[in-house]
Amino acid sequence: MRELDQRPTQDAPDDDPHLWLEEIEGERPLAWAAERSAATLARFGTKQFEEDRDALAAIFDRPDKIPFVSRRGPYLYNLWQDAAHPRGLWRRTTLPDYAQAEPEWDVVLDIDALAAAENEDWIFAGASTEKEPSERAILRLSRGGGDAVVLREFDLTTRRFLDDSFTLGFTLPEAKGSTAWLDRDTLLLSSALGDGMATRSGYARTVRLWKRGADPLRAPVIFEVPFESMSASADVDRTAGGERIWFVERPEFFEMKAWLGDRDGAKTRLDLPPDAQFNAFGDFIAVRPRKPWSVAGVTHPADRLLRLSLPAWLGGERRFVTLFEPGERRVLQSFFWCAGRLVVSILDDLAPRFEVVTPSAEGWAHRPIDALPRIGAVSLSPLDANEEDSNGEILACPQDPLTPPQLLLIDVAQPDGFGAPTLLKRSPEAFDAAGLVVTRHDAVSIDGEAIPYVQIGPAGETGEAPVHLTGYGGFSVSVEPVYRSAIGKLWLERGGTGVIANIRGGGEFGTRWHEAGRREGKRLAHDDFAAVAADLVRRGVTRPDRIAAEGGSNGGLLVANMLTRYPERFGALFCTIPLIDMRRYSKLLAGASWMAEYGDPDKPEDWSFLKEISAYHLASAGKPYPPILIATTRRDDRVHPGHARKMASKLQGLGYEAHFYEPAAGGHGYGKDNAERAAFLALGYAFLRDAIGWPPWRC
């Protein structure tokens, strides 16, 4: 087998001797994964690992952590997980009570008790509640944390499921999908369940009108998209006073086509660019194009935020109001409607800024939310789960790498200004930050682009700092400097340094930043990360063998490429839930949905650049690869665990120090509960510290 492992695969990428490891539940692959995972635990599962694991679990389970909430009807709902309730309590309270130091919680459903009673590995994956009187909910229950869910109707008054023939409850077997309530007895069903109902990406291809008591597989299809599209979905919009339905086709990850319709199906196509993001409220629509958009003789640049009148637009008018103008490093991050106002989140050279845009007789008035911090990371979200229910209250969550999160309440509907936010909750400190500082720097990438990064650690440079470096660089996701309990406790508190790299492919500087690191540019995004590692050495912070890098999912692809392309710049690599085999990724689980980000490996012109970042195919013998731990979860039904399995097997066959870890559950994450997440992280950091020789303990 070792001889087979060393055969080059670049010229014949489908000649894969490790293909058998893609059989997720196969007896032989499971035995292989169990054996390698046990070896990793035996190697790094020291007394120090156990202490670290328990310390993290205690942080994640703290009784005074923030219970994040969403309002549905008169109640604020929260899923609470701790050591006594690892799967969680779905519970609720009122806003006045929540603002107290010790709220009175009403437990709606005990997920641990449900899992035990039904002998299922249930993980709560969310709920959709009816509009009024908000007494029924469709619960999404995942087995082991995967994206596929079982849908079951739950009565919030009697606290029981309506899923037998006598109560005629809505229930659907496991599949990827969701529902939206039309009325007490009618749902919009977007599910991959049933013959011909899934796209090639494994998501829903149709929207069905599901009546109570009817067989969902025979429910009439009122909207469908081609098999090659990514997904179909529908949502109910009541912000205009009545009931209208938005039907959406996602041809690919960064495109969507929308129709207005009713219970009979889609009626009117909204003639917007397919790459545009939009959000409707009443008669207004806010639109942000990803690319320059020429209409009515005017070209609107990418990332400009525009407002249009829906009735006027449908009548042929093509006039806009500009609500936000982007700059070189001042970009729109997100926007949402709240009580008829548009809440806009901005990154201004990576600093958070926020505005509320309000319609008036004189035009659209802009008011900044000045009371929020202008450093670190701040996220805004509606308090209400449903837009039409909002009275103007939003939640703000500010934090930075050394300051734990707070939860603030802001009323954006106040006519005389927002006033000071109301502090609802404050997260306790998870680690000792004494003597630590946060600084920002820029590395110069291979093409001369300045790549920003944030450094957290002791002041001054010693040239010996044990550095934990992380990044993502994909899907227009912005990586912000948040408070990270695990890194803080297991790395920073012990004198280490943390670094967050804002590489291209992310959304930190808008569409241009993402586009530069997409498809052909993905290799450039990886060059950016390597440039940050080199800059840490240039500045005298550390040396290459003291840099430990971590990345998950698309970040796992990044870290795998550091192994094959820049091994001399790193001392250790922690590669989690990763894509690695870029020849077969589009054929595995949800992989086809990411071709807009990476390219289509079945097209020769795309494979010509994909093969340059397919670490699985690039790995070869005789290279100076640093030690690597590749970790996944068996229940990851988004990124196939075969990526991690095959890469670990190939590297081990080539004689490299490559470790592997695969817990049974966790989905596309690090575990299904706090204890599992703590073990995953503690194991990874134990490996990283050991591999870079820091600290010198051995337990």
Side-chain angles (χ1 to χ4, degrees):
M1 190 65 184
R2 181 178 173 85
E3 183 176 335
L4 287 175
D5 287 343
Q6 295 188 25
R7 291 187 301 178
T9 54
Q10 291 94 325
D11 295 331
D14 285 324
D15 182 16
D16 186 352
H18 305 286
L19 200 63
W20 58 277
L21 286 166
E22 291 181 4
E23 187 182 356
I24 296 175
E25 299 290 344
E27 182 177 352
R28 185 183 171 206
L30 285 180
W32 180 93
E35 179 184 353
R36 268 65 176 184
S37 296
T40 299
L41 284 167
R43 172 68 176 81
F44 302 106
T46 62
K47 180 181 178 182
Q48 184 64 53
F49 155 75
E50 294 173 353
E51 293 176 359
D52 291 348
R53 176 199 62 200
D54 295 345
L56 287 188
I59 291 171
F60 298 162
D61 286 332
R62 285 188 64 148
D64 53 350
K65 65 186 177 182
I66 296 178
F68 290 97
V69 292
S70 179
R71 186 162 59 194
R72 303 169 187 273
Y75 296 107
L76 273 62
Y77 285 81
N78 161 258
L79 180 70
W80 179 262
Q81 293 177 286
D82 59 21
H85 311 93
R87 298 175 189 273
L89 299 174
W90 194 40
R91 57 187 192 170
R92 67 187 186 185
T93 189
T94 62
L95 180 57
D97 205 49
Y98 180 77
Q100 302 301 313
E102 297 290 339
E104 289 290 331
W105 290 99
D106 175 19
V107 176
V108 177
L109 181 63
D110 185 329
I111 311 300
D112 293 274
L114 176 69
E118 299 185 350
N119 193 29
E120 288 278 10
D121 191 16
W122 289 135
I123 303 298
F124 186 81
S128 170
T129 51
E130 63 178 342
K131 166 62 177 170
E132 290 179 352
S134 299
E135 295 175 348
R136 298 281 180 85
I138 301 296
L139 302 193
R140 297 189 289 276
L141 297 173
S142 162
R143 290 185 174 93
D147 289 347
V149 293
V150 170
L151 303 177
R152 293 168 66 178
E153 186 178 5
F154 188 78
D155 190 307
L156 297 169
T157 303
T158 64
R159 315 295 171 88
R160 67 188 185 94
F161 287 100
L162 285 70
D163 54 6
D164 58 57
S165 59
F166 298 102
T167 54
L168 293 177
F170 290 110
T171 183
L172 197 73
E174 186 177 65
K176 292 185 179 182
S178 62
T179 60
W181 289 89
L182 285 168
D183 55 51
R184 173 62 64 90
D185 297 315
T186 316
L187 298 177
L188 294 172
L189 175 64
S190 305
S191 174
L193 186 72
D195 292 340
M197 296 297 173
T199 65
R200 65 180 297 186
S201 299
Y203 297 110
R205 195 183 69 80
T206 65
V207 176
R208 289 170 272 188
L209 192 70
W210 187 11
K211 295 282 189 178
R212 184 176 300 280
D215 181 351
L217 297 182
R218 297 185 178 181
V221 173
I222 60 173
F223 182 70
E224 61 183 303
V225 302
F227 171 75
E228 292 75 16
S229 286
M230 178 178 162
S231 66
S233 62
D235 201 7
V236 185
D237 179 0
R238 298 183 178 91
T239 61
E243 175 188 284
R244 62 188 182 191
I245 300 174
W246 289 99
F247 295 91
V248 175
E249 174 190 358
R250 297 288 297 271
E252 57 182 49
F253 200 92
F254 304 109
E255 291 188 357
M256 64 179 178
K257 302 175 183 177
W259 289 259
L260 269 174
D262 54 29
R263 299 187 183 206
D264 293 325
K267 296 293 194 298
T268 305
R269 168 82 186 275
L270 191 63
D271 185 23
L272 295 174
D275 67 338
Q277 177 188 3
F278 77 92
N279 197 332
F281 188 95
D283 287 340
F284 295 123
I285 295 184
V287 181
R288 176 178 67 176
R290 276 181 50 85
K291 299 175 183 176
W293 179 27
S294 296
V295 59
V298 178
T299 297
H300 301 279
D303 296 334
R304 175 182 283 177
L305 185 62
L306 305 166
R307 190 275 299 170
L308 59 88
S309 163
L310 180 59
W313 180 267
L314 295 178
E317 183 180 291
R318 293 297 180 264
R319 288 187 298 173
F320 302 93
V321 174
T322 297
L323 302 181
F324 173 80
E325 194 71 58
E328 180 69 14
R329 291 207 164 192
R330 185 175 187 270
V331 297
L332 184 67
Q333 287 293 291
S334 64
F335 56 95
F336 62 86
W337 293 97
C338 184
R341 295 152 176 82
L342 195 65
V343 181
V344 179
S345 298
I346 301 161
L347 276 184
D348 189 349
D349 197 19
L350 299 183
R353 301 286 186 270
F354 303 95
E355 290 184 352
V356 176
V357 188
T358 306
S360 67
E362 293 76 28
W364 288 71
H366 293 247
R367 286 192 296 169
I369 306 179
D370 290 325
L372 293 174
R374 293 176 173 264
I375 61 171
V378 184
S379 61
L380 297 190
S381 60
L383 176 59
D384 294 279
N386 298 314
E387 276 186 342
E388 66 266 23
D389 296 333
S390 177
N391 62 359
E393 292 172 316
I394 66 173
L395 297 173
C397 184
Q399 58 188 300
D400 65 52
L402 302 180
T403 307
Q406 299 177 13
L407 191 63
L408 310 175
L409 182 69
I410 302 173
D411 187 350
V412 301
Q414 291 294 325
D416 300 324
F418 308 132
T422 300
L423 175 63
L424 294 176
K425 302 293 175 186
R426 187 192 304 271
S427 183
E429 292 184 351
F431 60 93
D432 184 359
L436 302 179
V437 297
V438 180
T439 56
R440 178 177 155 183
H441 309 273
D442 289 294
V444 178
S445 193
I446 195 170
D447 63 344
E449 180 70 69
I451 309 301
Y453 63 93
V454 174
Q455 180 177 321
I456 313 103
E461 287 78 35
T462 66
E464 300 286 334
V467 170
H468 177 278
L469 171 61
T470 189
Y472 187 75
F475 295 93
S476 198
V477 173
S478 299
V479 180
E480 298 186 68
V482 298
Y483 190 80
R484 297 181 294 166
S485 298
I487 284 295
K489 188 66 178 176
L490 303 189
W491 206 274
L492 300 179
E493 189 178 87
R494 294 171 179 173
T497 295
V499 175
I500 305 166
N502 297 112
I503 64 177
R504 282 173 285 190
E508 291 88 345
F509 299 124
T511 298
R512 75 160 186 97
W513 199 250
H514 173 225
E515 287 295 310
R518 186 173 74 94
R519 287 177 52 85
E520 297 92 333
K522 189 62 66 179
R523 180 182 174 92
L524 195 59
H526 300 166
D527 293 331
D528 294 350
F529 193 75
V532 171
D535 198 61
L536 292 167
V537 176
R538 181 194 65 79
R539 289 179 45 235
V541 175
T542 190
R543 60 178 193 259
D545 63 344
R546 298 279 275 181
I547 300 178
E550 176 186 357
S553 192
N554 173 76
L557 174 65
L558 165 70
V559 166
N561 272 266
M562 295 305 100
L563 181 83
T564 55
R565 297 188 56 221
Y566 288 100
E568 71 285 352
R569 298 194 185 183
F570 299 90
L573 301 169
F574 185 26
C575 179
T576 67
I577 50 175
L579 287 85
I580 303 180
D581 179 352
M582 300 308 289
R583 178 61 183 174
R584 286 184 50 76
Y585 88 91
S586 60
K587 299 176 174 64
L588 301 175
L589 296 176
S593 64
W594 310 320
M595 288 194 290
E597 177 73 16
Y598 300 117
D600 183 350
D602 289 337
K603 294 180 178 178
E605 62 271 26
D606 286 9
W607 176 244
S608 68
F609 58 79
L610 277 168
K611 68 182 180 182
E612 296 181 353
I613 62 166
S614 187
Y616 180 61
H617 297 98
L618 294 174
S620 56
K623 304 295 184 180
Y625 294 162
I628 186 170
L629 170 57
I630 306 174
T632 184
T633 79
R634 191 183 312 159
R635 284 293 297 175
D636 189 347
D637 56 357
R638 193 180 311 172
V639 177
H640 198 291
H643 286 276
R645 291 175 176 182
K646 295 194 304 178
M647 186 63 167
S649 181
K650 180 175 183 179
L651 291 173
Q652 289 173 357
L654 291 170
Y656 293 110
E657 185 182 346
H659 306 278
F660 178 81
Y661 180 60
E662 181 185 288
H668 192 57
Y670 286 6
K672 68 184 179 187
D673 56 39
N674 291 337
E676 290 187 0
R677 285 186 282 273
F680 195 107
L681 288 165
L683 183 67
Y685 299 157
F687 156 76
L688 290 177
R689 292 194 307 262
D690 181 271
I692 66 171
W694 174 78
W697 62 57
R698 291 290 182 273
C699 300

